[in-house]
Amino acid sequence: MTLAATRLAVPSPALRLALAVLPVLATALTGPLFTTPNIPTWYAGLAKPGFTPPNWMFPVAWSMLYAMIALACWRVLGKAPASADLRRGRSVALAAYAVQLALNAIWTPVFFAAHSLLGGLVVIVALLVMILWTIRLFWPLDRAAALLLVPYAGWVAFATAVNAAVWRMN
């Protein structure tokens, strides 16, 4: 690959940072926007399983996870794949990453604003599938980036179990 092709394949440092951080930040902002008015009222009145984490744990966990999600994207954006197959693979991986991030952003308004426990469950199951698919697609491009998404998959798997139990109990 020539130096010119490498420059085209990898965004500039500023653009790479913006592409990695801004979508994650926008997703993160949906949390407080939709949960703040609903946690002390609607959510507090729901029956929840004993393994539901305390409310204070969610912003702590998500802050760390969102940082790791952005770092994973930043790493993949910084790769200049040497072959056409890897360039295509990076494009598909980044598209899967965008879909999982969109599902992440959608879950909060579906669950909290629309008060749809089943809708939230459908979205979070799709989210978990897309996170796992993104990890699979990131792996050949940057193993560290793929591994950065593993705690996210674990947390969303746990959140899926909580969401399913809340739906079943209510």
Side-chain angles (χ1 to χ4, degrees):
M1 178 178 273
T2 67
L3 184 57
T6 300
R7 285 191 184 127
L8 290 174
V10 176
S12 70
L15 179 58
R16 187 172 144 210
L17 184 62
L19 289 170
V21 172
L22 293 178
V24 173
L25 184 60
T27 299
L29 292 175
T30 64
L33 182 66
F34 292 102
T35 58
T36 302
N38 287 290
I39 285 181
T41 55
W42 173 75
Y43 183 73
L46 293 174
K48 293 179 252 344
F51 58 89
T52 302
N55 290 341
W56 64 264
M57 187 179 285
F58 290 96
V60 173
W62 278 110
S63 295
M64 291 184 287
L65 292 170
Y66 282 134
M68 292 176 8
I69 293 165
L71 180 57
C73 181
W74 179 82
R75 289 185 60 91
V76 170
L77 285 169
K79 296 295 177 185
S83 70
D85 285 343
L86 283 177
R87 278 192 296 280
R88 247 186 325 280
R90 186 177 79 164
S91 294
V92 172
L94 290 170
Y97 173 87
V99 169
Q100 68 77 26
L101 200 58
L103 288 166
N104 183 313
I106 291 167
W107 181 86
T108 305
V110 169
F111 186 89
F112 281 101
H115 300 176
S116 179
L117 304 177
L118 179 57
L121 184 57
V122 169
V123 172
I124 203 166
V125 167
L127 171 59
L128 181 56
V129 168
M130 286 308 299
I131 294 166
L132 295 172
W133 184 241
T134 302
I135 291 169
R136 164 67 181 86
L137 294 171
F138 274 20
W139 188 258
L141 301 167
D142 186 308
R143 288 184 177 171
L147 291 172
L148 281 164
L149 297 178
V150 170
Y152 175 36
W155 180 259
V156 171
F158 176 69
T160 301
V162 172
N163 191 154
V166 170
W167 171 65
R168 186 179 45 77
M169 294 170 75
N170 291 279

